[in-house]
């Protein structure tokens, strides 16, 4: 009998996180869920248990304000009985105009999407490296590929996370490092989740959380260090990154 996989999801109530957790649940995984909303965590846990999860330990806490991620992660691993993968899936995106007008709002966007996420990612990377095996999968965004006037504060935070994950993947891949270490940044394009509610979500550029979840699930086993979700965004962003400024500035994106 194969031992169940142990997957910890930081931000376990987001649309993409829940869709991904359901894929692991169908495999009988032990799935730890961390997030602020205890009632919503319990709802998600009941759903995952019904779908086949071996166990769903819950860790209600505000990830954005937690000061000791290393200690928290070690405690979560012990409560879960082991740790194979960490998926960092939380974030927030407010109106760009408010980020530009209000320093407090801008700081919150940067703190949640970069400072907090970076500290948890660094702690998870250290834990995984210490045990000599495991995967760290972090949700970035295509918004981090080039600053665009519609969301460049959020995009700046995601660009920072991209650089951080590139560095962790470089460290994991160094000569002599344990072969069982994985660090992957998944960059979703526009996705119909609670974060994008209120936007105009019509059109073929939008993906469903389940589309992104299937890519994350594959990324936990292979691929990386950067994975676009869906894959077409690799080529779209390649074009956008290389557009001359005189053309790029005319685009309403």
């Amino acid at each position: 009998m194969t031992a169940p996989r142990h997957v910890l999801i930081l931000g376990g109530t987001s649309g993409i996180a829940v869709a991904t957790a359901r894929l692991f649940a169908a495999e009988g995984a032990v799935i730890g869920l961390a997030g602020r909303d205890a009632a919503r965590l319990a709802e998600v846990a009941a759903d995952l248990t019904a779908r086949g999860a071996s166990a769903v330990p819950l860790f209600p806490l505000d990830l954005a304000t937690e000061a000791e991620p290393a200690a928290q992660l070690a405690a979560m691993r012990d409560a879960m009985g082991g740790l194979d993968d960490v998926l960092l899936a939380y974030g927030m995106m407010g109106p760009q105009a408010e980020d530009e007008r209000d320093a407090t709002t801008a700081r919150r966007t940067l703190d949640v999407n970069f400072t907090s996420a970076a500290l948890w990612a660094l702690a998870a990377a250290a834990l995984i490296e210490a045990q000599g095996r495991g995967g760290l999968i972090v949700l970035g965004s295509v918004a981090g590929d080039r600053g665009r006037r519609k969301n460049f504060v959020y995009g700046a935070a995601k660009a920072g996370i991209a650089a951080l994950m590139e560095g962790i993947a470089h460290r994991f891949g160094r000569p002599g490092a344990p072969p069982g270490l994985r660090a992957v940044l998944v960059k979703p394009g526009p996705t119909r989740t609670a974060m994008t509610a209120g936007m105009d979500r019509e059109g073929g550029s939008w993906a469903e959380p389940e589309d992104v979840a299937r890519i994350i699930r594959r990324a936990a086993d292979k691929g990386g260090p950067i994975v676009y979700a869906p894959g077409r965004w690799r080529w779209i962003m390649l074009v956008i990154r290389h557009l001359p400024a005189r053309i790029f500035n005319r685009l309403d994106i």
Side-chain angles (χ1 to χ4, degrees):
M1 184 175 178
T2 305
R5 193 161 183 155
H6 293 71
V7 183
L8 173 63
I9 302 180
L10 305 175
T13 61
S14 77
I16 292 174
V18 172
T20 306
R22 287 174 173 172
L23 298 178
F24 283 113
E27 301 172 11
V30 175
I31 305 170
L33 299 176
R36 286 184 303 171
D37 188 338
R40 178 58 182 149
L41 286 176
E43 291 176 2
V44 175
D47 174 75
L48 297 178
T49 300
R51 292 172 184 270
S54 294
V56 189
L58 302 182
F59 308 106
L61 78 166
D62 186 347
L63 293 156
T65 61
E66 177 54 52
E68 297 182 357
Q72 289 285 352
L73 280 172
M76 293 175 190
R77 176 201 56 196
D78 294 345
M80 293 172 61
L83 190 61
D84 296 301
D85 304 281
V86 177
L87 169 61
L88 195 158
Y90 69 91
M92 53 87 68
M93 181 171 61
Q96 169 70 22
E98 291 186 19
D99 282 344
E100 292 184 50
R101 184 174 56 246
D102 186 337
T104 301
T105 302
R107 182 185 296 276
R108 177 69 175 166
T109 297
L110 295 168
D111 282 350
V112 171
N113 294 300
F114 178 69
T115 305
S116 166
L119 294 176
W120 280 98
L122 287 168
L127 186 153
I128 288 167
E129 192 166 24
Q131 68 184 18
R133 62 174 185 79
L136 170 62
I137 304 101
V138 173
L139 291 193
S141 171
V142 296
D145 277 18
R146 189 168 187 178
R148 296 177 291 115
R149 58 179 173 266
K150 284 193 173 180
N151 65 357
F152 63 79
V153 176
Y154 171 80
K158 290 298 187 180
I161 284 296
L164 183 96
M165 287 300 294
E166 187 174 25
I168 291 173
H170 194 217
R171 192 176 84 198
F172 279 6
R174 70 188 184 281
L181 306 178
R182 290 180 50 73
V184 184
L185 179 72
V186 178
K187 294 185 177 183
T191 307
R192 294 184 181 91
T193 64
M195 180 184 287
T196 58
M199 296 182 179
D200 179 2
R201 304 197 291 189
E202 299 299 320
S205 65
W206 287 82
E208 300 299 332
E210 291 76 14
D211 301 326
V212 177
R214 284 189 288 273
I215 294 169
I216 292 171
R217 177 62 193 88
R218 287 196 297 272
D221 289 337
K222 59 183 179 181
I226 296 173
V227 175
Y228 285 81
R232 63 177 177 272
W233 283 99
R234 173 180 297 278
W235 311 114
I236 295 171
M237 297 313 299
L238 179 66
V239 172
I240 290 177
R241 285 199 307 271
H242 288 86
L243 282 175
R246 67 180 183 281
I247 297 174
F248 180 67
N249 291 342
R250 294 176 182 174
L251 301 178
D252 185 26
I253 59 175

